[in-house]
Amino acid sequence: MQPTPFIEIVEERPILKEGFVLPIDKPKGPTSHDCVEWARRALGIQAVGHSGTLDPMASGLLILAVSKGTKLVPYLTEENKVYQAVIALGVETDTLDTEGTPIRSAPVPILDLQTVREVASRFVGRYFQKVPLFSAIKVRGQALHRLARQGKAEQIEPPAREVIAHAVEVIGLEAGRIALRLDVGKGYYVRSLARDLANALGTVGHLAELRRLQSGRISVDAAIDGRLLEQAAQGKSESWQSLKSALVRAAIPLARAIQFEKIQAPPSWIGRIANGQPLPIPQSIRCIQGKRYAILHNEELLGIGQCDGSTLRLLRVLCH
């Protein structure tokens, strides 16, 4: 019996045996779930998830989590994201992006780069952002996008959520299109920014292009081409050989994928961690209540712990 591709990768990089994080460069068109399915088929393993959904019209960094890496998805999703975006002024769509149906139009005033930059600076910081009608946010127990597709859009008032934008940099303005570079926190909707910035400029608009460049410390520059993953999933042997080489290079061990401060576990801790028991905090660690730590043994990530008084309470266990 031939080994699965996942096992072949582990044979070349044993540190990946407990799972890994895989950055891919998602092309425009497929959904984030499509990319997960490509990885499942190409690797021969079902335990694959993703961190931070990218809409079909968007491209760029999508972080896949393989095997035990799926346990880290909630933490990877929390990381700040960097995007490159283009907003088209003059037309608003129901989805707030190019895939939607136009619902209103407005003249575009004469704008200069300095004015747009001054207005865009109002969206830097922490504020309440109204979520798009076509989103997965739930209202009355149902996802907004489902209610909208049932023709109930006029009955729905999308909620506003607190978000943070660390930077909103206007890098270009041409023919009613604004090019931006954004550094934003978890839960930020670039589609909502397209609507709000256009309104603040005296017109309407929608998101025309979106590309994710970075999540936390992981950059799209280190990602593998998503189309290569798709071709390998289709069973093309030559694609698998190219993909295998790319995977061995790009796959990130779990201990490096997580950004929490690291604690090396003595051998006596391993059994306690496997049983989910609280751990004594080493004297060398200045414990901050609520702070989370990555617990390692050598290079293997054993778990995620949170400071709770004088102990580390285990939030995630990754060892057997």
Side-chain angles (χ1 to χ4, degrees), residues 130 163 303:
K130 183 182 288 189
V163 296

Side-chain angles (χ1 to χ4, degrees), residues 293-314:
Y293 297 86
I295 305 167
L296 279 62
H297 181 64
N298 298 325
E299 295 183 81
E300 182 181 347
L301 181 65
L302 302 183
I304 304 295
Q306 185 174 47
C307 180
D308 186 8
S310 60
T311 62
L312 283 175
R313 178 170 57 89
L314 287 163

Side-chain angles (χ1 to χ4, degrees), residues 12 24 41 44-45 56 85 91 132 137 171 176 234 305 310 316:
E12 290 204 23
I24 73 166
R41 292 198 298 269
I45 184 170
V91 175
I137 301 300
I171 56 178
Q234 293 170 351
S310 60
R316 285 286 188 277

Side-chain angles (χ1 to χ4, degrees), residues 24 31 36 126 137 174 195 225 250 269 274:
I24 73 166
T31 66
V36 169
R126 193 176 295 275
I137 301 300
E174 185 176 359
R195 173 199 60 208
D225 188 340
W269 278 17

Side-chain angles (χ1 to χ4, degrees), residues 228 231-244:
L228 185 59
Q231 292 165 6
Q234 293 170 351
K236 300 176 180 178
S237 59
E238 66 279 7
S239 297
W240 163 245
Q241 292 304 319
S242 299
L243 176 64
K244 179 182 172 183

